[in-house]
């Protein structure tokens, strides 16, 4: 596994997954009056996204406000 091998592929795949996930959550958060299912989706989507980002919170460039 090298920069152009399986690790690189996994990182690109994770980037796509997290970006899509964050985009969906962002769209839900922009709703002025979310329905109950949308509020539930916000909580459901936020927890795993937060858990995915948590191990990187000590890294330079980590944006807690984002």
């Amino acid at each position: 596994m090298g920069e152009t091998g399986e690790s690189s592929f996994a990182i690109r795949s994770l980037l796509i997954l997290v970006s899509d996930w964050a985009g969906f959550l962002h769209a839900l958060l922009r709703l002025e009056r979310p329905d109950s299912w949308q509020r539930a989706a916000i909580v459901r989507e936020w927890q795993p996204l937060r858990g995915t980002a948590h191990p990187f919170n000590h890294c330079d460039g980590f944006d807690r406000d984002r």
Side-chain angles (χ1 to χ4, degrees), residues 25 28-29 34 37-47:
L25 183 57
L28 288 172
L29 290 171
W37 74 267
Q38 292 164 324
R39 287 191 302 272
I42 289 168
V43 173
R44 184 183 67 242
E45 298 300 322
W46 173 253
Q47 294 303 326

Side-chain angles (χ1 to χ4, degrees), residues 6-21:
E6 293 174 6
S7 293
S8 178
F9 177 75
I11 290 169
R12 282 192 313 269
S13 296
L14 184 58
L15 177 62
I16 292 166
L17 177 65
V18 170
S19 294
D20 288 349
W21 207 347

